[in-house]
Amino acid sequence: MGHLDHATFGWLTPALSYAMACVGAALGLRCTVRALDATGRSRRNWLLTAASAIGTGIWTMHFVAMLGFGVTGSDIRYDVPLTILSLVVAMVVVGVGVFAVGYGRDRVRSLLVGGLTTGVGVASMHYLGMAALRLHGEVHFDPVLVGLSVLIAVVAATAALWAALNIHSPAAVAVASAVMGAAVSSMHYTGMFAVRVDVVPSSAALPGATVMQFIFPLAVGLGSYLFITSAFVALSPTARERAAYASAGRLTEPDERAVDVAPPGFHTARTARTPLT
């Protein structure tokens, strides 16, 4: 059995992957909060942004962590179509859960359905990403740890959606995002500890792309998307702020219906300068 190293770069990849999970969770929660305050097309757009943020954050977290994954006795490659499919699955299934919460009338039922769907989507993304591994040997999974990782994913997703429904202040969202990031990271490493690899030494070339050829550039691109979108969301006014601005604008507008009711013979400062003849 090959020795597995989950942190070949030390604490860099676990810490960076946790940060990406937190950013994705924070952005997703803020977008979901904005969606619940909006209606019509605006709600749909905020929910789409939330789904893409959470899905992208979880996917980026997984593959940033995988940058530090190594197997003694074998190189590692990644199947490109399967890896991209794992990203699509993450965003689509998380989107189903987010929309269930955003449009559901029964909050409890919506929360349970959304949490279950989103959690299964997170787990599916993880194990699709693991299926994309190409190495010299066979990969096996401990079914108990796999089941535990799926359970963690469902609980974490349900807690995140509950936070989106009940937590609105930025400070509370930050705390909820930190907890969500820790839960997603726990799910990932629980799933990774379930992995066993039986290495079969071979000199044959492995199919697929290396980490630096494919995973690293894609992770950097998606990470940049998360940070840019986070800045946009942070700077855009909320529905309440726009309503307050509109109200303030109405209060400061001059009343065009006002009429001059000055008594006869009264002169304003401008007309007072005109000499009388």
Side-chain angles (χ1 to χ4, degrees), residues 128-239:
L128 269 175
M130 294 303 296
L133 280 177
R134 297 292 179 263
L135 46 78
H136 293 301
E138 295 183 359
V139 178
H140 305 280
F141 294 91
D142 182 330
V144 175
L145 288 178
V146 169
L148 180 59
S149 68
V150 174
L151 178 61
I152 292 173
V154 171
V155 172
T158 305
L161 295 176
W162 177 89
L165 289 172
N166 297 280
I167 295 176
H168 298 280
S169 70
V173 168
V175 173
S177 303
V179 174
M180 177 64 177
V184 171
S185 297
S186 299
M187 177 267 161
H188 171 82
Y189 284 105
T190 300
M192 293 307 296
F193 289 143
V195 176
R196 300 290 182 272
V197 178
D198 293 331
V199 175
V200 179
S202 174
S203 59
L206 288 168
T210 66
V211 167
M212 292 302 172
Q213 287 174 338
F214 175 59
I215 300 298
F216 181 73
L218 187 56
V220 170
L222 292 175
S224 301
Y225 160 77
L226 284 177
F227 282 104
I228 292 173
T229 309
S230 297
F232 168 77
V233 173
L235 295 174
S236 64
T238 64

Side-chain angles (χ1 to χ4, degrees), residues 49-108:
T49 306
S52 67
I54 296 174
T56 299
I58 293 170
W59 187 95
T60 307
M61 175 269 151
H62 171 82
F63 281 99
V64 166
M66 292 301 290
L67 294 176
F69 178 69
V71 179
T72 302
S74 177
D75 293 330
I76 294 177
R77 299 289 187 273
Y78 290 89
D79 182 279
V80 174
L82 264 182
T83 303
I84 294 176
L85 178 62
S86 68
L87 173 61
V88 174
V89 166
M91 290 193 290
V92 170
V93 183
V94 168
V96 172
V98 169
F99 271 79
V101 169
Y103 285 101
R105 295 182 179 180
D106 186 334
R107 285 204 166 190
V108 175

Side-chain angles (χ1 to χ4, degrees), residues 238-253:
T238 64
R240 294 178 182 179
E241 290 172 342
R242 286 195 297 270
Y245 295 154
S247 176
R250 286 194 297 269
L251 290 175
T252 56
E253 286 179 358

